[in-house]
Amino acid sequence: MKKYTWRTGVLEVGTILIGVLFLIPIYVLVNLSLKAPGDQSATLALPQQPTFQNYIDAWEQGGLGTALINSAIVTGFIVVLTVVFAAAAAYPLSRLGARWSKITYLAFLAGLLLPAQLALLPLYQTIRDLGLLGTLAGVIIVGVGASMPFSIFLYAGFMRALPAEYEEAAALDGAHAFRTFWSVVFPLVRPITGTIIILTAVAQWNDFLTPLLYLSGSDQQTITVAIYGFVGQYGAQWNLIFAGIIISILPILIAYFFLQKYIVQGFAGGLKG
């Protein structure tokens, strides 16, 4: 058993200080969400008269209930479609050695290098021409397209590391390519699938620019756009904004609380792969 040394004490103090440093933004967020509109106290000072009315007003005035449902629909569809399409695309790209597969793979990776701002105008015109402006379907299509390059990159790298013996055995048993992929390969890439689900879900839930562009002028709003509605031309309702932010992060926190075991396994397995 190791003795408790001064170095251990310094490390513990440093760890506590870092933890407190990370808790300060959370404290400020909760603190400001509980302050009354006329409270002029300092940011770090406790509210003079704490009130939960800000949460009620934010929920009712911002329509956060509908916005949360829209965000859940958009995020859920994007995650599912990204996993299915990215895994299906990465499988032949990682297994076939043809020149076209390498060129296609590099074309997908180009999506990681090009700035997203370059595609804003063409994408907007395309979604408009398809008649999908102001609909959740338009946001879902754009979100899936934006998530594909990095997801394919992760899947392809993971699949290249898989031994081919399992697929060869399935082929000997008469399994066709789709059955081999779905029954043999896809279960083996579960760790990286967990990582992709986590990264995609968090990114899409917090996305602000895409819903703002493609849902502007409609009654369909995601949670981020709904919170932005509290920012006016001549000022902002900060107490409602901070209350809305807390409401928006609760679903993610609840999901993490119940799925933290699988989230850690997904990250560990995905990074290891």
Side-chain angles (χ1 to χ4, degrees):
M1 183 176 181
K2 295 183 179 180
K3 295 182 179 180
Y4 188 89
T5 63
W6 65 270
R7 291 186 179 87
T8 305
V10 170
L11 290 175
E12 289 182 351
V13 172
T15 303
I16 293 173
L17 291 177
I18 293 174
V20 171
L21 185 63
F22 277 96
L23 287 175
I24 290 177
I26 300 177
Y27 165 76
V28 171
L29 180 63
V30 176
N31 187 44
L32 293 178
S33 71
L34 295 175
K35 289 189 175 184
D39 193 336
Q40 300 297 324
S41 59
T43 301
L44 295 179
L46 292 173
Q48 297 175 354
Q49 294 180 343
T51 175
F52 288 97
Q53 186 63 37
N54 295 330
Y55 292 90
I56 299 175
D57 293 342
W59 183 271
E60 294 178 349
Q61 297 179 23
L64 299 189
T66 303
L68 283 173
I69 295 175
N70 290 338
S71 289
I73 293 173
V74 169
T75 302
F77 271 99
I78 290 177
V79 168
V80 172
L81 294 177
T82 297
V83 168
V84 173
F85 291 153
Y91 179 54
L93 294 178
S94 64
R95 283 293 186 253
L96 299 178
R99 179 177 299 179
W100 68 265
S101 64
K102 296 180 181 178
I103 295 175
T104 305
Y105 178 68
L106 293 176
F108 276 115
L109 294 188
L112 297 174
L113 304 177
L114 298 176
Q117 291 78 6
L118 291 177
L120 287 181
L121 183 57
L123 272 177
Y124 186 87
Q125 292 175 337
T126 301
I127 296 299
R128 179 199 61 193
D129 295 340
L130 292 173
L132 296 177
L133 280 182
T135 66
L136 298 182
V139 178
I140 292 171
I141 292 174
V142 175
V144 172
S147 303
M148 287 292 287
F150 188 60
S151 300
I152 289 177
F153 170 73
L154 293 179
Y155 267 129
F158 199 92
M159 290 179 180
R160 288 194 183 103
L162 295 177
E165 287 78 6
Y166 297 107
E167 300 162 60
E168 295 171 356
L172 291 175
D173 290 338
H176 48 76
F178 178 78
R179 181 61 182 274
T180 301
F181 164 74
W182 185 253
S183 301
V184 178
V185 177
F186 193 71
L188 293 176
V189 298
R190 184 179 301 172
I192 199 66
T193 298
T195 302
I196 291 172
I197 290 174
I198 296 162
L199 297 177
T200 304
V202 172
Q204 297 302 327
W205 184 270
N206 295 324
D207 187 21
F208 171 73
L209 180 59
T210 302
L212 180 66
L213 286 176
Y214 299 104
L215 297 179
S216 180
S218 70
D219 57 352
Q220 301 280 0
Q221 292 182 336
T222 59
I223 187 65
T224 52
V225 179
I227 293 174
Y228 181 70
F230 295 123
V231 178
Q233 182 178 359
Y234 301 104
Q237 298 172 281
W238 291 111
N239 55 326
L240 300 186
I241 290 175
F242 287 109
I245 291 175
I246 293 214
I247 292 174
S248 71
I249 64 178
L250 283 178
I252 293 293
L253 290 178
I254 294 173
Y256 179 81
F257 177 78
F258 287 104
L259 303 176
Q260 57 181 327
K261 174 181 177 181
Y262 304 99
I263 291 175
V264 173
Q265 289 177 351
F267 268 119
L271 293 175
K272 182 179 180 180

